Amino acid sequence: MENSNHNLNEGSITSGDNVSFWIDSTDIISFDQPSQDVSTDVLIIGGGIAGLTTAYKLLRAGRKVVLVEDGFIGSGETGRTTAHLTCALDDRYYYLENIFGKEKAKLAADSHTAAINEIESIVNELEINCDFKRVNGYLFLHPSDKEKNLDKEYEATQNAGLDTLLLNHIPSLAGTENQRCIVFKNQAQFHILHYLKGLAEAVTALGGTIYTEAHAENITKEGASVNGFNFKARHIVAATNTPINDVVTMHTKQHAYRTYVIAGKIPKGSLPHALWWDTGDMESKWVSQPYHYVRLESFDDEYDLLISGGEDHKTGQADEEGISETERYERLEIWTRRHFPLLDEISYRWSGQVMEPVDSLGFMGKNPGDDNIYIITGDSGNGMTHATIGAMIISDIIQGNKNKWEDLYDPSRITFKALGDFMKEAGNMASQYLDWITAADLNNTADLEPGNGGILSSGLRKIAVYRDYDNTLKAFSAVCPHLGCIVQWNPDEKSFDCPCHGSRFASDGTILNGPAKSDLSKLDIK
C-alpha cells in the first residue's frame, strides 16, 4: 500500500466537490492499478466498508480474494458517512413490527447489535487505531412527532430485546427542558477512514489483492472487465452502495437521497461523547422522513469536533421543496447551534448519498436471478452496520453456511405491507420524466459563471454544460445512461445528479455513483 499524491481524476478521492473530515484527516489509501488478467475465487467490487469487511472475513476463511475500487479506498459513500454505529435504526422498530412482525424486528435488532460487536472485535484483533468508543445514544421527538410514538418505540425496542430506557430529559441537549428521550445503551462510534486503513492492511497481509483506480464493467457470472483486463471469478460481490449489475429490479425497491453534514469545533471535554437523533419530520413530503443526527469526534488537544447531519431530500430533487443545497447547510447549522450552543465556526461541510429501501431493511445477499453475484445495498442511514451485516451474510453464503439473517435481508423479497410507500416513490420517480418537456435552467452558455453547470435545451435535446474555472466549456448529453432521466446540476457538490435513480456524474461527465454504468456522452457545442 502507498499514500498517493499523483494527478487524480475527478471523483477519485471522494464522490463530490466537498471533502469530509474523515478524508481530510487521512492520507490517500491507494494500491497498484491492474496490469494483467486475473483469476480468483472471489472478486469484490468496491473499496468501502462493505467490500473490505467481506474481503477480510473471506480471507480469514481461507478464500482467495481480489478487491477492485474505481477510486481510492473509502472514496465512495463510506468516506462521506458520519460513522454512527447503532442499533437505533432510522426507521422505527414499531414500524418494523408492523411490516415484518415482532420476531423479524427482533432479528433486525440482533443483526445490528452483532454488527457493532463485529466491528469492535475486528478493531481489537487488528489493533486498529480508529478512536473506537462505546457510547450512549439518545432518540428524542422531532417537534412534528407525537409523545405516544416515543412510548410505542420504547415498547418496540423492549420487544426487540434491546437495552433501552426512557428518560424525562435529553442529556447535554440545550433548549429541550422536560423533553423525554429513549436511551440506547452500548452504541459506538469510530473514525471510519482509519478503520478502513487497518482493514486494507489486514486484507493484503492475509494474501488478498487490492487494486485502486480500477473500474469494473461488463459484470457477468464469469467475472468482470477491469480497466480492460479480464478478471475471472467463481463469486462476484458488488459492494458499491447501489447495484451495478441490475437495470430495474433493485431500483424499484430503493431510492436515493442526499443528506447533509456540517462539522465544527467545540472545547474539548465540554460535551460527553454520545449519539443524538431526532425522530424525523412527520410532515415532510419525502417518504423517508428527514431527521437530525449528531455525534462528537476527537479533533486535537484543545477541541472535539461536533458532527451534525440531516436536511435530506431525494437525489436531484432539491428544487422540489424550493430549498437550495446551500440553504440546507444553513438550516442545519441553525438547528445545531440551537441545541449545541458551544459550536464554533463550521470547519467542514459535505453531503452523502443514502439508499432508502421502501420496507426499511437493506438488501444483502444474492442478486435477484443470479447464483454467484451478490450485492450489499439499501443502507437506509445505517450504512456502517448494514454493510457489516452484509459482509457477514455473504461470507457465510459463499462458504455454504446458513446465516440467520439471510432471509430477512434477501434482495429478492417482496414486502406487500410496504406497498403504499412503494407507490409513492414510484410515482415520484415517474414524474421526473416530465423534465424532458419542461424548460431548462439555462438560456445560453453565456449565462454560465466559471465553476458552475446547468441544463440547456436545443430542440428536443437536453444538454448538460459546465464552465471550468479556466473558462473552458464542457458539454454532455443530459440524458442519464441508466434509464433516460434528465440529470440536474448540483451546485454544492459540482455534479450532475439523476432525480430518478440517483446516478451521479462529475463535472467532467465521469460517473460517480451508479446505477448508471457509463459516463455522460460528450458533445461538441458552439
Side-chain angles (χ1 to χ4, degrees):
M1 180 175 66
E2 62 182 24
N3 294 321
S4 170
N5 288 301
H6 51 70
N7 294 328
L8 306 174
N9 296 323
E10 292 195 49
S12 293
I13 296 176
T14 184
S15 60
D17 195 56
N18 297 319
V19 175
S20 73
F21 164 71
W22 317 115
I23 292 171
D24 191 45
S25 57
T26 310
D27 289 334
I28 294 170
I29 308 168
S30 71
F31 294 83
D32 291 338
Q33 296 181 41
S35 58
Q36 61 185 11
D37 293 345
V38 167
S39 181
T40 187
D41 185 17
V42 184
L43 172 63
I44 298 173
I45 303 166
I49 185 172
L52 283 168
T53 309
T54 306
Y56 175 69
K57 292 189 70 62
L58 286 170
L59 285 160
R60 287 284 303 270
R63 296 285 181 157
K64 183 180 179 183
V65 176
V66 172
L67 182 148
V68 298
E69 162 57 47
D70 63 0
F72 297 107
I73 298 302
S75 63
E77 294 311 305
T78 298
R80 304 180 76 82
T81 181
T82 53
H84 290 229
L85 300 174
T86 179
C87 55
L89 305 186
D90 66 348
D91 293 293
R92 307 280 76 83
Y93 278 98
Y94 65 77
Y95 175 80
L96 294 181
E97 280 189 359
N98 182 55
I99 298 294
F100 295 98
K102 288 184 178 180
E103 285 306 310
K104 288 186 177 180
K106 187 173 183 178
L107 205 57
D110 173 68
S111 66
H112 285 271
T113 300
I116 300 171
N117 294 339
E118 177 78 1
I119 291 168
E120 182 175 33
S121 175
I122 290 172
V123 168
N124 292 334
E125 284 170 10
L126 301 178
E127 299 181 344
I128 302 174
N129 183 16
C130 62
D131 203 25
F132 179 94
K133 288 182 175 68
R134 286 284 185 172
V135 296
N136 281 341
Y138 304 105
L139 177 69
F140 57 96
L141 288 175
H142 185 278
S144 64
D145 208 347
K146 298 176 180 178
E147 288 286 338
K148 67 178 183 180
N149 287 337
L150 199 68
D151 293 317
K152 283 169 58 179
E153 181 64 0
Y154 175 66
E155 182 181 354
T157 62
Q158 292 287 292
N159 293 341
L162 293 173
D163 187 3
T164 58
L165 60 88
L166 271 173
L167 284 184
N168 59 8
H169 67 285
I170 308 169
S172 305
L173 206 68
T176 59
E177 292 75 15
N178 302 317
Q179 287 192 36
R180 298 186 303 154
C181 75
I182 300 173
V183 184
F184 287 77
K185 295 183 179 180
N186 218 25
Q187 309 300 286
Q189 62 178 61
F190 64 169
H191 188 303
I192 178 57
L193 260 294
H194 292 172
Y195 179 68
L196 291 194
K197 184 175 185 290
L199 265 182
E201 291 171 348
V203 165
T204 55
L206 287 167
T209 302
I210 299 176
Y211 294 105
T212 52
E213 296 183 285
H215 180 65
E217 55 190 347
N218 303 322
I219 300 164
T220 70
K221 64 182 181 179
E222 307 297 331
S225 173
V226 182
N227 288 14
F229 295 101
N230 185 21
F231 277 48
K232 290 184 177 180
R234 291 179 57 214
H235 303 277
I236 301 95
V237 181
T240 54
N241 190 49
T242 184
I244 55 177
N245 198 45
D246 172 77
V247 177
V248 177
T249 305
M250 294 309 302
H251 305 294
T252 62
K253 293 183 174 186
Q254 60 179 357
H255 302 273
Y257 282 76
R258 296 303 294 174
T259 188
Y260 294 80
V261 183
I262 59 172
K265 294 184 290 186
I266 64 168
K268 199 167 193 69
S270 57
L271 286 175
H273 284 265
L275 311 176
W276 294 267
W277 322 277
D278 69 24
T279 55
D281 185 358
M282 301 295 113
E283 299 169 359
S284 171
K285 69 168 291 175
W286 307 116
V287 171
S288 178
Q289 296 155 334
Y291 68 102
H292 298 100
Y293 47 98
V294 185
R295 59 161 289 193
L296 289 185
E297 175 65 24
S298 298
F299 187 69
D300 60 23
D301 291 339
E302 294 184 61
Y303 296 100
D304 290 321
L305 200 67
L306 185 75
I307 303 172
S308 177
E311 302 299 324
D312 302 15
H313 63 82
K314 288 203 73 173
T315 298
Q317 297 186 38
D319 58 338
E320 293 278 337
E321 295 177 297
I323 305 170
S324 71
E325 290 84 356
T326 300
E327 287 177 282
R328 292 176 190 274
Y329 288 118
E330 292 169 353
R331 289 160 64 102
L332 183 55
E333 183 176 348
I334 290 169
W335 182 92
T336 306
R337 290 191 185 281
R338 184 165 66 246
H339 294 299
F340 300 92
L342 289 173
L343 178 64
D344 202 340
E345 64 182 85
I346 302 305
S347 305
Y348 296 90
R349 67 179 199 175
W350 70 88
S351 67
Q353 186 122 309
V354 178
M355 301 305 295
E356 292 284 359
V358 293
D359 65 5
S360 302
L361 294 181
F363 301 104
M364 289 91 82
K366 288 185 178 180
N367 192 50
D370 292 311
D371 287 328
N372 69 331
I373 300 176
Y374 312 85
I375 61 174
I376 301 175
T377 186
D379 50 54
S380 187
N382 297 92
M384 302 297 94
T385 47
H386 259 135
T388 304
I389 295 164
M392 297 163 81
I393 290 172
I394 288 170
S395 61
D396 275 347
I397 295 174
I398 289 174
Q399 294 172 75
N401 301 325
K402 179 67 177 178
N403 185 285
K404 62 181 176 179
W405 311 309
E406 181 180 335
D407 295 337
L408 182 67
Y409 294 105
D410 183 359
S412 297
R413 72 179 185 270
I414 298 173
T415 312
F416 291 106
K417 283 192 175 182
L419 186 60
D421 286 347
F422 172 86
M423 295 303 294
K424 289 178 185 176
E425 291 284 27
N428 173 277
M429 179 184 66
S431 70
Q432 302 310 309
Y433 286 96
L434 293 174
D435 287 341
W436 274 95
I437 57 175
T438 55
D441 55 15
L442 285 175
N443 292 321
N444 57 67
T445 57
D447 299 333
L448 204 57
E449 296 291 328
N452 280 297
I455 308 300
L456 281 170
S457 287
S458 177
L460 295 177
R461 286 202 306 174
K462 296 287 187 182
I463 302 170
V465 290
Y466 173 75
R467 190 178 295 283
D468 217 334
Y469 291 100
D470 64 2
N471 223 31
T472 303
L473 193 68
K474 301 174 181 178
F476 319 91
S477 168
V479 180
C480 178
H482 177 226
L483 287 175
C485 278
I486 304 302
V487 297
Q488 304 293 314
W489 174 244
N490 179 342
D492 174 50
E493 297 291 0
K494 308 293 186 189
S495 62
F496 293 100
D497 299 352
C498 176
C500 286
H501 305 100
S503 297
R504 297 179 57 247
F505 306 86
S507 59
D508 64 356
T510 55
I511 187 168
L512 294 173
N513 294 87
K517 299 177 183 178
S518 58
D519 301 339
L520 295 177
S521 301
K522 292 183 179 180
L523 299 175
D524 292 320
I525 64 169
K526 296 181 180 179

